[in-house]
Amino acid sequence: MLRKSKKNAHFFRHLKGSKENYSKLVCVTAYDYTFSKLLDESGVDIILVGDSLGMVVQGHPNTLSVTLEQMIYHTQCVSRGVQEAHLCVDMPFMSYQVSPEEALRNAGRLVSEGGAHSVKLEGGIAIAKTVEKIVSAGIPVLGHVGLTPQSFHQLGGYKVQGKTVSAREALLKDALALEDAGAYALVLEGIPAEAAQAITEKLKIPTIGIGAGPHCDGQVLVLQDLLGLNTDFKPKFVKSYSSLSTLVKEAVTQFSTEVRSSRFPTQEHSFYAGS
Ligand code: KIV
Protein backbone atom coordinates (compact mmCIF):
# COMPACT_ATOMS: atom_id res chain seq x y z
CA MET A 1 0.00 0.00 0.00
CA LEU A 2 1.31 3.47 -0.85
CA ARG A 3 1.55 6.33 1.64
CA LYS A 4 -0.87 9.25 1.32
CA SER A 5 1.69 11.50 -0.35
CA LYS A 6 2.12 8.87 -3.06
CA LYS A 7 -1.50 8.48 -4.04
CA ASN A 8 -1.48 10.80 -7.01
CA ALA A 9 -1.39 10.44 -10.77
CA HIS A 10 2.14 11.81 -11.11
CA PHE A 11 3.43 9.23 -8.68
CA PHE A 12 1.47 6.37 -10.28
CA ARG A 13 2.84 7.31 -13.71
CA HIS A 14 6.41 6.90 -12.49
CA LEU A 15 5.75 4.01 -10.10
CA LYS A 16 7.42 1.34 -12.22
CA GLY A 17 10.63 3.35 -12.47
CA SER A 18 10.98 3.41 -8.69
CA LYS A 19 12.13 0.11 -7.19
CA GLU A 20 11.98 1.41 -3.62
CA ASN A 21 8.39 2.70 -3.93
CA TYR A 22 6.96 0.01 -6.17
CA SER A 23 3.94 -1.60 -4.63
CA LYS A 24 0.98 -3.13 -6.46
CA LEU A 25 -1.90 -0.67 -6.81
CA VAL A 26 -5.22 -1.38 -5.13
CA CYS A 27 -8.31 0.13 -6.73
CA VAL A 28 -11.92 -0.39 -5.63
CA THR A 29 -15.12 1.23 -6.89
CA ALA A 30 -17.41 3.35 -4.72
CA TYR A 31 -20.58 5.28 -5.47
CA ASP A 32 -21.49 6.88 -2.14
CA TYR A 33 -20.06 8.64 0.94
CA THR A 34 -20.39 5.79 3.46
CA PHE A 35 -18.44 3.25 1.45
CA SER A 36 -15.87 5.71 0.11
CA LYS A 37 -15.00 6.67 3.71
CA LEU A 38 -14.58 2.98 4.60
CA LEU A 39 -12.42 2.32 1.53
CA ASP A 40 -10.32 5.39 2.25
CA GLU A 41 -9.81 4.29 5.87
CA SER A 42 -8.86 0.80 4.60
CA GLY A 43 -5.97 2.35 2.69
CA VAL A 44 -6.87 1.64 -0.94
CA ASP A 45 -4.76 3.63 -3.42
CA ILE A 46 -7.48 4.54 -5.92
CA ILE A 47 -11.22 4.87 -5.41
CA LEU A 48 -13.01 4.65 -8.75
CA VAL A 49 -16.49 6.05 -9.26
CA GLY A 50 -17.20 3.51 -11.98
CA ASP A 51 -20.02 3.79 -14.48
CA SER A 52 -20.70 0.23 -13.27
CA LEU A 53 -23.06 2.19 -10.99
CA GLY A 54 -25.49 1.82 -13.90
CA MET A 55 -25.70 -1.84 -12.95
CA VAL A 56 -24.98 -2.09 -9.21
CA VAL A 57 -26.73 1.12 -8.09
CA GLN A 58 -29.34 1.71 -10.80
CA GLY A 59 -30.14 -1.89 -11.76
CA HIS A 60 -29.64 -1.48 -15.52
CA PRO A 61 -28.27 -4.36 -17.63
CA ASN A 62 -25.25 -2.30 -18.77
CA THR A 63 -23.51 1.08 -18.35
CA LEU A 64 -24.87 2.79 -21.44
CA SER A 65 -27.63 4.89 -19.89
CA VAL A 66 -25.47 6.50 -17.20
CA THR A 67 -25.31 10.27 -17.65
CA LEU A 68 -22.64 12.88 -16.96
CA GLU A 69 -24.90 14.55 -14.37
CA GLN A 70 -25.26 11.24 -12.51
CA MET A 71 -21.48 10.70 -12.54
CA ILE A 72 -20.95 14.23 -11.19
CA TYR A 73 -23.50 13.61 -8.43
CA HIS A 74 -21.97 10.28 -7.33
CA THR A 75 -18.44 11.73 -7.50
CA GLN A 76 -19.54 14.54 -5.19
CA CYS A 77 -20.92 11.97 -2.72
CA VAL A 78 -17.77 9.84 -2.87
CA SER A 79 -15.38 12.80 -2.67
CA ARG A 80 -16.78 13.78 0.74
CA GLY A 81 -15.52 10.46 2.13
CA VAL A 82 -12.04 10.69 0.60
CA GLN A 83 -9.12 11.96 2.66
CA GLU A 84 -6.13 10.03 1.36
CA ALA A 85 -6.99 7.97 -1.70
CA HIS A 86 -6.77 9.10 -5.30
CA LEU A 87 -10.28 9.68 -6.66
CA CYS A 88 -10.84 8.68 -10.28
CA VAL A 89 -14.16 8.83 -12.14
CA ASP A 90 -15.41 7.14 -15.29
CA MET A 91 -16.41 9.41 -18.15
CA PRO A 92 -19.81 7.95 -19.12
CA PHE A 93 -20.86 6.78 -22.58
CA MET A 94 -21.01 9.60 -25.17
CA SER A 95 -19.41 12.17 -22.86
CA TYR A 96 -16.03 11.92 -24.64
CA GLN A 97 -16.59 10.19 -28.01
CA VAL A 98 -17.98 13.13 -30.02
CA SER A 99 -14.97 15.44 -29.99
CA PRO A 100 -11.83 16.12 -27.93
CA GLU A 101 -13.23 19.59 -27.09
CA GLU A 102 -16.47 18.21 -25.68
CA ALA A 103 -14.52 15.52 -23.83
CA LEU A 104 -12.30 18.14 -22.21
CA ARG A 105 -15.30 20.24 -21.15
CA ASN A 106 -16.96 17.18 -19.58
CA ALA A 107 -13.74 15.98 -17.92
CA GLY A 108 -13.40 19.48 -16.47
CA ARG A 109 -16.89 19.27 -14.94
CA LEU A 110 -16.09 15.92 -13.29
CA VAL A 111 -13.05 17.53 -11.68
CA SER A 112 -14.40 20.99 -10.81
CA GLU A 113 -17.99 20.06 -9.88
CA GLY A 114 -17.49 16.41 -8.86
CA GLY A 115 -14.18 16.71 -7.04
CA ALA A 116 -12.42 13.95 -9.01
CA HIS A 117 -8.63 13.88 -9.22
CA SER A 118 -8.58 12.09 -12.59
CA VAL A 119 -10.90 10.65 -15.23
CA LYS A 120 -11.07 7.24 -16.92
CA LEU A 121 -11.93 6.74 -20.59
CA GLU A 122 -12.48 3.49 -22.48
CA GLY A 123 -10.69 2.87 -25.78
CA GLY A 124 -7.28 2.86 -27.41
CA ILE A 125 -5.84 4.52 -30.53
CA ALA A 126 -9.27 5.91 -31.44
CA ILE A 127 -9.32 8.14 -28.33
CA ALA A 128 -5.58 8.88 -28.03
CA LYS A 129 -6.03 12.46 -29.30
CA THR A 130 -8.78 13.03 -26.77
CA VAL A 131 -6.61 11.69 -23.96
CA GLU A 132 -3.80 14.01 -25.06
CA LYS A 133 -6.15 17.01 -25.01
CA ILE A 134 -7.45 16.24 -21.51
CA VAL A 135 -3.97 15.55 -20.13
CA SER A 136 -2.56 18.75 -21.63
CA ALA A 137 -5.28 20.70 -19.83
CA GLY A 138 -3.90 19.32 -16.55
CA ILE A 139 -6.42 16.54 -15.93
CA PRO A 140 -4.81 13.11 -15.39
CA VAL A 141 -6.28 10.24 -17.41
CA LEU A 142 -6.57 6.56 -16.57
CA GLY A 143 -6.91 4.47 -19.76
CA HIS A 144 -9.07 1.35 -20.12
CA VAL A 145 -8.61 -1.29 -22.85
CA GLY A 146 -9.67 -4.88 -23.49
CA LEU A 147 -13.25 -5.61 -22.57
CA THR A 148 -14.63 -2.08 -22.64
CA PRO A 149 -18.21 -2.29 -21.33
CA GLN A 150 -19.35 0.89 -23.14
CA SER A 151 -18.71 -1.00 -26.44
CA PHE A 152 -21.05 -3.79 -25.28
CA HIS A 153 -23.03 -3.83 -28.56
CA GLN A 154 -19.95 -3.58 -30.77
CA LEU A 155 -18.23 -6.44 -28.89
CA GLY A 156 -21.38 -8.59 -28.98
CA GLY A 157 -21.57 -8.83 -25.18
CA TYR A 158 -19.18 -9.17 -22.26
CA LYS A 159 -16.58 -11.40 -23.92
CA VAL A 160 -12.90 -11.93 -23.14
CA GLN A 161 -10.86 -9.87 -25.64
CA GLY A 162 -7.37 -10.39 -27.12
CA LYS A 163 -7.65 -14.13 -27.66
CA THR A 164 -6.00 -14.21 -31.11
CA VAL A 165 -2.49 -13.08 -32.03
CA SER A 166 -3.79 -10.18 -34.12
CA ALA A 167 -6.20 -9.08 -31.38
CA ARG A 168 -3.30 -9.13 -28.89
CA GLU A 169 -1.17 -7.02 -31.20
CA ALA A 170 -4.00 -4.53 -31.56
CA LEU A 171 -4.38 -4.38 -27.78
CA LEU A 172 -0.69 -3.67 -27.33
CA LYS A 173 -0.85 -0.88 -29.93
CA ASP A 174 -3.83 0.62 -28.11
CA ALA A 175 -1.99 0.44 -24.79
CA LEU A 176 1.14 2.08 -26.20
CA ALA A 177 -0.93 4.83 -27.85
CA LEU A 178 -2.52 5.66 -24.49
CA GLU A 179 0.85 5.72 -22.75
CA ASP A 180 2.18 8.08 -25.46
CA ALA A 181 -0.91 10.26 -25.09
CA GLY A 182 -0.05 10.77 -21.42
CA ALA A 183 -2.26 8.31 -19.50
CA TYR A 184 -0.85 7.71 -16.00
CA ALA A 185 -2.00 4.08 -15.84
CA LEU A 186 -4.14 1.61 -17.73
CA VAL A 187 -7.01 -0.64 -16.73
CA LEU A 188 -6.81 -3.99 -18.55
CA GLU A 189 -10.20 -5.68 -18.45
CA GLY A 190 -11.22 -9.17 -19.58
CA ILE A 191 -8.12 -10.30 -21.44
CA PRO A 192 -5.98 -13.46 -21.18
CA ALA A 193 -3.31 -13.35 -18.47
CA GLU A 194 -0.54 -13.81 -21.07
CA ALA A 195 -1.74 -10.76 -23.03
CA ALA A 196 -1.90 -8.67 -19.85
CA GLN A 197 1.60 -9.82 -18.91
CA ALA A 198 3.00 -8.85 -22.33
CA ILE A 199 1.39 -5.39 -22.13
CA THR A 200 2.53 -4.90 -18.53
CA GLU A 201 6.10 -5.75 -19.49
CA LYS A 202 6.08 -3.36 -22.47
CA LEU A 203 4.54 -0.35 -20.75
CA LYS A 204 6.35 2.13 -18.54
CA ILE A 205 3.08 3.10 -16.84
CA PRO A 206 1.32 0.67 -14.47
CA THR A 207 -1.46 -1.66 -15.54
CA ILE A 208 -4.44 -2.34 -13.28
CA GLY A 209 -6.21 -5.59 -14.07
CA ILE A 210 -9.74 -6.86 -13.75
CA GLY A 211 -10.16 -10.32 -15.22
CA ALA A 212 -6.65 -9.94 -16.65
CA GLY A 213 -4.63 -12.35 -14.50
CA PRO A 214 -1.95 -11.91 -11.85
CA HIS A 215 0.81 -10.10 -13.76
CA CYS A 216 -0.66 -6.58 -13.76
CA ASP A 217 0.81 -3.82 -11.58
CA GLY A 218 -2.45 -3.56 -9.65
CA GLN A 219 -6.00 -4.93 -9.42
CA VAL A 220 -9.44 -3.37 -9.38
CA LEU A 221 -12.76 -4.88 -8.32
CA VAL A 222 -16.30 -3.57 -8.13
CA LEU A 223 -17.06 -3.06 -4.42
CA GLN A 224 -20.33 -5.03 -4.48
CA ASP A 225 -18.51 -8.03 -6.01
CA LEU A 226 -15.64 -7.84 -3.51
CA LEU A 227 -18.06 -7.72 -0.58
CA GLY A 228 -20.32 -10.49 -1.86
CA LEU A 229 -23.29 -8.13 -2.13
CA ASN A 230 -24.11 -8.96 -5.71
CA THR A 231 -26.30 -12.05 -5.86
CA ASP A 232 -27.31 -11.61 -9.52
CA PHE A 233 -24.25 -13.13 -11.07
CA LYS A 234 -20.61 -13.91 -10.26
CA PRO A 235 -18.07 -13.89 -13.07
CA LYS A 236 -14.94 -16.12 -12.91
CA PHE A 237 -12.58 -13.18 -12.23
CA VAL A 238 -14.43 -12.07 -9.09
CA LYS A 239 -13.31 -13.12 -5.63
CA SER A 240 -15.73 -12.18 -2.86
CA TYR A 241 -13.92 -11.43 0.39
CA SER A 242 -17.14 -11.40 2.40
CA SER A 243 -20.77 -12.56 2.14
CA LEU A 244 -22.46 -9.28 2.93
CA SER A 245 -25.66 -10.23 1.10
CA THR A 246 -26.22 -13.00 3.68
CA LEU A 247 -25.32 -10.71 6.59
CA VAL A 248 -27.67 -7.98 5.32
CA LYS A 249 -30.57 -10.41 4.97
CA GLU A 250 -29.92 -11.91 8.42
CA ALA A 251 -29.82 -8.45 10.05
CA VAL A 252 -33.00 -7.24 8.32
CA THR A 253 -34.81 -10.52 9.09
CA GLN A 254 -33.89 -10.18 12.78
CA PHE A 255 -35.05 -6.53 12.81
CA SER A 256 -38.36 -7.59 11.23
CA THR A 257 -38.84 -10.39 13.76
CA GLU A 258 -38.15 -8.07 16.71
CA VAL A 259 -40.47 -5.34 15.41
CA ARG A 260 -43.29 -7.81 14.74
CA SER A 261 -42.90 -9.39 18.17
CA SER A 262 -42.58 -5.99 19.92
CA ARG A 263 -39.04 -6.80 21.12
CA PHE A 264 -37.68 -3.63 19.46
CA PRO A 265 -37.46 -0.88 20.58
CA THR A 266 -36.81 -1.54 24.28
CA GLN A 267 -36.36 1.15 26.96
CA GLU A 268 -32.71 1.34 25.95
CA HIS A 269 -33.64 2.72 22.53
CA SER A 270 -36.45 5.03 23.68
CA PHE A 271 -36.70 8.64 24.91
CA TYR A 272 -38.75 9.52 28.04
CA ALA A 273 -40.04 12.95 29.00
CA GLY A 274 -38.63 12.79 32.51
CA SER A 275 -35.05 11.79 31.72
O1 KIV B 1 -17.10 0.91 -14.17
C1 KIV B 1 -16.29 0.28 -13.49
O2 KIV B 1 -16.54 -0.08 -12.34
C2 KIV B 1 -15.01 -0.05 -14.11
C3 KIV B 1 -14.10 -0.97 -13.38
C4 KIV B 1 -14.67 -2.32 -13.25
C5 KIV B 1 -12.73 -1.00 -13.97
O3 KIV B 1 -14.71 0.42 -15.16
Side-chain angles (χ1 to χ4, degrees):
M1 187 206 308
L2 300 171
R3 289 205 312 274
K4 175 184 181 180
S5 59
K6 300 190 168 156
K7 294 178 183 176
N8 63 73
H10 176 80
F11 186 84
F12 298 145
R13 187 167 167 72
H14 299 285
L15 182 66
K16 282 166 90 170
S18 161
K19 281 211 177 70
E20 86 206 67
N21 284 321
Y22 183 83
S23 168
K24 286 212 176 191
L25 294 175
V26 176
C27 176
V28 182
T29 67
Y31 316 99
D32 65 18
Y33 167 78
T34 303
F35 275 115
S36 80
K37 192 161 178 285
L38 290 172
L39 294 183
D40 193 73
E41 289 168 0
S42 308
V44 305
D45 300 310
I46 302 172
I47 295 178
L48 171 68
V49 185
D51 60 355
S52 48
L53 70 83
M55 279 117 88
V56 296
V57 175
Q58 299 174 336
H60 292 298
N62 54 50
T63 60
L64 300 179
S65 57
V66 176
T67 66
L68 183 69
E69 301 306 323
Q70 290 166 351
M71 293 308 289
I72 291 172
Y73 169 75
H74 283 280
T75 308
Q76 288 169 341
C77 299
V78 169
S79 74
R80 293 183 199 113
V82 173
Q83 293 275 323
E84 305 208 346
H86 179 85
L87 176 54
C88 181
V89 55
D90 261 328
M91 294 198 69
F93 182 56
M94 293 316 289
S95 70
Y96 59 95
Q97 289 91 342
V98 175
S99 72
E101 289 70 26
E102 196 174 309
L104 175 57
R105 197 171 309 115
N106 291 334
R109 288 192 64 198
L110 288 162
V111 171
S112 62
E113 295 174 44
H117 305 145
S118 69
V119 296
K120 177 163 83 60
L121 282 69
E122 295 181 8
I125 293 172
I127 59 149
K129 285 257 168 319
T130 301
V131 170
E132 215 173 294
K133 181 136 191 114
I134 297 174
V135 171
S136 31
I139 301 173
V141 170
L142 176 60
H144 183 159
V145 297
L147 197 178
T148 44
Q150 290 177 16
S151 305
F152 176 80
H153 294 301
Q154 174 96 328
L155 300 176
Y158 296 119
K159 294 180 183 160
V160 174
Q161 301 297 300
K163 281 184 151 177
T164 64
V165 175
S166 62
R168 266 184 223 184
E169 283 168 5
L171 265 181
L172 180 59
K173 282 187 188 152
D174 281 335
L176 289 167
L178 292 167
E179 176 173 274
D180 285 349
Y184 68 84
L186 218 58
V187 169
L188 302 180
E189 176 164 358
I191 64 173
E194 305 90 313
Q197 182 173 15
I199 293 172
T200 301
E201 284 170 2
K202 282 263 167 16
L203 290 190
K204 293 189 208 73
I205 58 173
T207 58
I208 302 174
I210 174 162
H215 306 292
C216 298
D217 298 300
Q219 295 291 327
V220 53
L221 277 180
V222 167
L223 180 66
Q224 277 73 355
D225 291 340
L226 186 160
L227 296 178
L229 267 170
N230 187 357
T231 50
D232 291 348
F233 129 98
K234 185 173 169 191
K236 177 179 163 70
F237 61 83
V238 166
K239 178 170 176 185
S240 299
Y241 289 82
S242 187
S243 307
L244 275 202
S245 59
T246 308
L247 295 181
V248 168
K249 284 190 218 163
E250 279 172 7
V252 176
T253 304
Q254 188 167 349
F255 171 65
S256 308
T257 306
E258 291 193 7
V259 168
R260 289 178 187 133
S261 61
S262 299
R263 280 186 284 142
F264 176 85
T266 58
Q267 281 189 0
E268 188 196 347
H269 299 103
S270 305
F271 298 107
Y272 294 93
S275 56

